[in-house]
Amino acid sequence: MMLKYPLISFVVTSYNYEKFIVKTLESILAQTYKNYEIVVVDDYSSDDSVAKVEEFISLHQDVRITLVKHSSNMGQLAAMMSGLKTARGQFISFIDSDDLLVEEYAAAHLRVHLSTSVAFTSAQIIEIDENDEIHTINSISSPHRTSCLEPKTLDELLKVDVEHIDYDILKRSRFGGWYWSPNSAIMYRKSAIEIVLKYKHPEKWKICPDKFLCNFANLVGGSAIIYVPLVAYRRHGQNAGGSDYIVGNHKYNSDKTTCVNVANNIKIRPETLKFLIENRSDFVAKFGTRGYIKMILSVLF
């Protein structure tokens, strides 16, 4: 009997990041796990992002790469939904087009997924600047098992032991909270989130849609935290979720980021309830009446 390892879809959402997107795509090509496809969704960029992607595709015709182009700027959740609709993989990672993946990103995520049945996995992040320089390996924007970190040599810091991944299933979470790392650090089971294609209001989540998608996926099937940095999160002047570099062991947000976070916290429950109620028959068909009621109660309480 020959079993097959699953296909992973890397959905790269792109908007005016011509400076970074090729490096992002190159970091996907460098993955040690090779059964993947790439779907780039350009959200009507006004710079040369599309030309950069098309050139990249022409230079790598041996790789399965699909380019989807929006005819207007629809926001990041809409771009993610376009990618989800196009993706063929059993597992999906939505990658911001300014981030970089560690070579073992796919292998490490997949190892945890195949060892569990969670809806998604979330790894820790490395923080870098616009020149690729590392600011920290252990970001305070990621969950940690302990505050006492074991000192490592510089060579060891970026090594990932895929055979002995440190992870834990998230046991306690309240709907609407945040327990994970930023968007690019996450890998979803497609079966857990494909019903999101029924959501009719993606414009509500033009910025930081991972707040909505992570809470929804966790509601559906739980999540696991991988205590290993697998993605380099790039901070620069255009970050939607926060552009400031680390200045210490406290997390600071700009006023703009705080406003986005507050707005998302206010709308997460009513938007999810509206989604569940508007699509009741679809949720009952997929999860059963008991599962549907449990979701409603979890969002409410």
Side-chain angles (χ1 to χ4, degrees):
M1 180 174 65
M2 294 294 292
L3 299 178
K4 296 180 180 179
Y5 285 110
L7 177 70
I8 294 173
S9 295
F10 289 105
V11 176
V12 181
T13 54
S14 171
Y15 180 66
N16 287 349
Y17 277 167
E18 63 174 332
K19 179 179 178 181
F20 306 118
I21 190 167
V22 171
K23 288 184 178 180
T24 300
L25 294 172
E26 287 174 342
S27 75
I28 297 175
L29 292 190
Q31 292 299 294
T32 56
Y33 184 83
K34 296 300 183 184
N35 190 21
Y36 64 81
E37 66 171 357
I38 302 173
V39 178
V40 180
V41 182
D42 185 83
D43 195 27
Y44 202 60
S45 293
S46 58
D47 64 3
D48 287 333
S49 293
V50 169
K52 295 275 187 182
V53 173
E54 290 175 336
E55 180 183 14
F56 186 87
I57 292 174
S58 69
L59 294 173
H60 299 91
Q61 296 186 22
D62 56 326
V63 181
R64 188 184 298 121
I65 308 175
T66 303
L67 173 60
V68 178
K69 293 184 283 188
H70 283 178
S71 57
S72 62
N73 182 247
M74 301 168 65
Q76 193 172 13
L77 182 57
M80 292 163 75
M81 291 171 68
S82 294
L84 177 59
K85 191 182 300 183
T86 305
R88 300 186 304 143
Q90 181 186 156
F91 296 96
I92 298 180
S93 284
F94 298 103
I95 309 300
D96 294 342
S97 58
D98 55 344
D99 292 340
L100 302 176
L101 306 188
V102 173
E103 290 181 358
E104 294 83 5
Y105 176 102
H109 272 287
L110 189 60
R111 185 173 179 85
V112 176
H113 264 295
L114 297 186
S115 300
T116 68
S117 55
V118 294
F120 71 97
T121 51
S122 176
Q124 293 177 327
I125 65 172
I126 300 165
E127 297 217 16
I128 63 174
D129 60 23
E130 61 184 15
N131 298 313
D132 302 341
E133 290 188 0
I134 299 171
H135 284 228
T136 182
I137 303 295
N138 288 286
S139 170
I140 56 175
S141 294
S142 293
H144 292 272
R145 186 185 291 279
T146 174
S147 59
C148 300
L149 304 175
E150 180 185 349
K152 296 181 180 180
T153 67
L154 290 177
D155 288 338
E156 291 174 328
L157 283 172
L158 291 174
K159 287 183 178 178
V160 176
D161 185 359
V162 176
E163 299 302 316
H164 303 91
I165 292 293
D166 185 16
Y167 76 93
D168 210 354
I169 293 176
L170 184 66
K171 294 180 176 62
R172 293 184 180 181
S173 60
R174 183 180 175 88
F175 185 85
W178 185 255
Y179 312 94
W180 310 284
S181 293
N183 192 47
S184 298
I186 294 164
M187 182 178 286
Y188 300 90
R189 289 183 185 271
K190 185 179 182 182
S191 58
I193 63 169
E194 57 189 350
I195 198 169
V196 169
L197 293 174
K198 300 282 185 179
Y199 184 59
K200 300 180 178 65
H201 309 285
E203 74 281 356
K204 299 279 188 178
W205 302 94
K206 279 194 167 189
I207 301 174
C208 300
D210 45 350
K211 173 77 171 184
F212 171 71
L213 197 55
C214 282
N215 271 280
F216 174 76
N218 193 57
L219 178 72
V220 168
S223 56
I225 308 299
I226 300 175
Y227 296 103
V228 178
L230 296 177
V231 60
Y233 176 80
R234 192 187 301 277
R235 291 194 183 273
H236 54 88
Q238 295 174 273
N239 284 91
S243 60
D244 294 333
Y245 298 135
I246 285 182
V247 295
N249 201 34
H250 299 289
K251 188 175 180 181
Y252 298 100
N253 289 325
S254 66
D255 290 345
K256 178 182 177 182
T257 301
T258 298
C259 288
V260 170
N261 290 341
V262 170
N264 285 349
N265 288 337
I266 291 172
K267 67 188 175 187
I268 181 71
R269 288 177 185 271
E271 276 301 308
T272 304
L273 280 173
K274 185 177 180 181
F275 176 40
L276 289 168
I277 293 168
E278 286 181 343
N279 298 277
R280 180 184 182 280
S281 59
D282 294 301
F283 277 97
V284 170
K286 187 174 180 66
F287 303 107
T289 301
R290 184 179 177 183
Y292 174 73
I293 293 173
K294 184 178 179 181
M295 289 180 192
I296 292 284
L297 293 176
S298 296
V299 174
L300 285 173
F301 305 106

